Amino acid sequence: MALALSLGATTVPQPAAAQDRAAVERQFRDWLEQSIWPKARAQGVSRATFEAAFRGVSLNWKLPDLVPPGTRPSTPKQQRQAEFGSPGKYFNRGSVDGATVIGRQMAGRHARALSRTAAATGVPGRIILAIWGRESGYGRVKIPYNAFEVLGTKGFMSSRADYFAGELVAALRIAQAGHVRANGMKSSWAGALGQPQFMPSSFLEHAADGNGDGRADIWNSEADTIASIGRYLQRHGWVAGRDWGFEVEVPASVSCTLEGPDQGRPIAQWAAMGITRVSGKPFPEHELRGEGYLLMPAGRSGPAFVVTPNFYVLKDYNMSDLYALFVGHVGDRIQYGSGDFTGRWGKVGGLYRSDVASMQRALEKMGHDVGGADGLPGFKTRRSIGRWQEAQGRPATCFPEARMKASLGG
């Protein structure tokens, strides 16, 4: 993944007295020397780079998901997050319009870099622009954190310490290679770097030199940012010549339980079942032969789509149906001037994650595969709800609703 996503519940450290924090800071310095330095040295990092990276760095106690030594994480019993609220909130007017308007400006300003990257990777410029806009507002969003402070803190005392420790070593390798000065490496609170918001390991695998200066500077170079996003998608399987997907009308005769990337079929078959594009246009001839997948992120209470394998490449960038849908949608608006989705988001969501998890556990007891009782209504949960509804003789809506709580263990 390009981004570090904390899909679990946020953990909150127990309060630590000032003297305890001082002791933990000393443990942190020992950990850097005894654990991180040997690994970094083995990866070719010099002592000078190591010392420059951690000069003046201390633990950032304000970061989420911290588990200081000697404490246990406390997990809130109930949480709300966008992914299991109303899906429509993800497509708020300001975010969509802002990414579109500035994206069109950037399309003209960086036409040469976009064309060059599209030719090299097969990834359309509009898709690169939409990701760039979503991740960092085309470089306009401030990236405020010292990457070594964030990754060091999380590598030393977070709920995913091993993962972040590995990313910390990767960040040291980036500094050693001279892509950016150690004291100039800025990240998000999760350790994601630069305008494309790559984790350090993703940088090492996919960052590209788009302007020919010998460095991959995703902090300051728009050309490098564009080339890096394109290379990331190409290496994750982007199929040149195919679209990401199409908004469609799904007739009542087609069950919403057919959703999911494991239930694909040629788009021609979806069309034969009565699924049509909302634009009234036929599916492109070359797409009819390709695999397509039904996507209904709000079940029957929202827009529906037939998506291609490229949609799931977008999900590799950020593991969210709504993220991938946002990118495809904004990309289309940038290039084609298309408007809002035709389908309207219904009044769904508003449930606590713990409510959804209770429903998932109840469905699991009935033998349904919901993809894990994590409180996130992914496609396996959505279609399991639909299958349960159909077994009850009810119309399938394929989305968790408050009225289901009594029947599904809420």
Side-chain angles (χ1 to χ4, degrees):
M1 293 193 310
L3 283 173
L5 296 181
S6 179
L7 297 182
T10 299
T11 56
V12 181
Q14 299 296 324
Q19 61 270 30
D20 294 333
R21 288 194 175 187
V24 173
E25 291 281 357
R26 290 192 293 273
Q27 293 178 51
F28 172 57
R29 303 308 301 192
D30 290 343
W31 173 77
L32 288 174
E33 287 293 338
Q34 297 169 14
S35 180
I36 299 302
W37 166 237
K39 294 175 183 177
R41 180 175 55 192
Q43 294 287 327
V45 176
S46 70
R47 185 67 192 185
T49 297
F50 183 82
E51 291 181 354
F54 294 107
R55 188 174 295 124
V57 168
S58 60
L59 294 170
N60 185 337
W61 294 84
K62 296 181 180 180
L63 296 175
D65 298 308
L66 301 186
V67 187
T71 66
R72 294 181 179 180
S74 61
T75 304
K77 293 182 178 180
Q78 294 183 322
Q79 315 87 17
R80 291 183 188 271
Q81 292 184 14
E83 285 290 347
F84 44 86
S86 172
K89 292 180 179 178
Y90 201 91
F91 302 89
N92 67 80
R93 184 82 280 141
S95 294
V96 172
D97 287 352
T100 300
V101 171
I102 300 174
R104 289 172 183 160
Q105 297 171 5
M106 292 296 182
R109 188 176 304 170
H110 301 289
R112 182 174 298 179
L114 289 163
S115 177
R116 188 165 55 241
T117 298
T121 65
V123 181
R126 72 182 192 277
I127 296 296
I128 294 171
L129 287 167
I131 288 179
W132 185 15
R134 186 63 181 174
E135 295 298 337
S136 65
Y138 304 99
R140 299 183 179 195
V141 173
K142 186 177 180 180
I143 303 170
Y145 292 94
N146 179 312
F148 293 105
E149 176 185 274
V150 170
L151 295 169
T153 299
K154 286 181 166 289
F156 177 63
M157 58 173 193
S158 80
S159 57
R160 300 173 63 198
D162 289 345
Y163 167 76
F164 284 106
E167 294 294 339
L168 177 59
V169 174
L172 288 165
R173 290 175 58 194
I174 294 169
Q176 180 65 38
H179 295 292
V180 65
R181 297 189 315 276
N183 61 5
M185 192 181 298
K186 298 297 183 181
S187 78
S188 71
W189 63 265
L193 306 176
Q195 297 185 44
Q197 287 289 274
F198 281 176
M199 291 306 292
S201 59
S202 287
F203 179 102
L204 291 174
E205 293 181 26
H206 308 299
D209 174 14
N211 59 12
D213 67 355
R215 298 186 300 128
D217 182 1
I218 60 173
W219 292 268
N220 304 298
S221 169
E222 291 88 352
D224 290 3
T225 295
I226 289 167
S228 297
I229 294 172
R231 178 183 287 183
Y232 182 99
L233 296 176
Q234 177 195 35
R235 290 184 173 178
H236 280 76
W238 185 272
V239 182
R242 294 206 67 185
D243 210 321
W244 66 268
F246 309 90
E247 188 183 358
V248 298
E249 291 281 356
V250 180
S253 58
V254 177
S255 174
C256 53
T257 64
L258 294 177
E259 182 185 8
D262 55 351
Q263 299 191 100
R265 61 189 71 195
I267 290 179
Q269 289 189 20
W270 291 115
M273 295 166 67
I275 291 179
T276 57
R277 294 178 64 184
V278 296
S279 65
K281 299 177 181 178
F283 291 102
E285 188 67 29
H286 72 279
E287 293 284 7
L288 289 171
R289 301 185 296 273
E291 187 98 335
Y293 316 91
L294 186 61
L295 174 73
M296 302 181 73
R300 287 285 182 183
S301 297
F305 308 86
V306 168
V307 298
T308 77
N310 285 340
F311 178 87
Y312 294 99
V313 175
L314 296 178
K315 277 195 69 174
D316 283 340
Y317 206 99
N318 183 319
M319 289 302 294
S320 162
D321 285 342
L322 300 183
Y323 175 92
L325 190 55
F326 182 96
V327 167
H329 179 52
V330 168
D332 288 351
R333 289 168 64 97
I334 289 171
Q335 182 163 336
Y336 306 123
S338 53
D340 293 337
F341 296 132
T342 298
R344 293 291 174 249
W345 300 101
K347 294 183 178 180
V348 294
L351 292 172
Y352 288 114
R353 181 168 173 174
S354 52
D355 291 333
V356 178
S358 293
M359 296 180 190
Q360 289 170 323
R361 286 190 291 270
L363 289 164
E364 284 180 330
K365 290 179 181 178
M366 299 176 194
H368 292 280
D369 176 10
V370 298
D374 57 4
L376 298 170
F379 74 90
K380 288 186 176 181
T381 293
R382 296 195 294 264
R383 72 188 185 193
S384 291
I385 287 173
R387 289 167 180 168
W388 170 76
Q389 290 172 314
E390 289 178 346
Q392 299 289 314
R394 308 175 188 178
T397 61
C398 296
F399 202 79
E401 301 170 18
R403 60 185 177 180
M404 300 175 184
K405 289 167 62 176
S407 300
L408 287 176

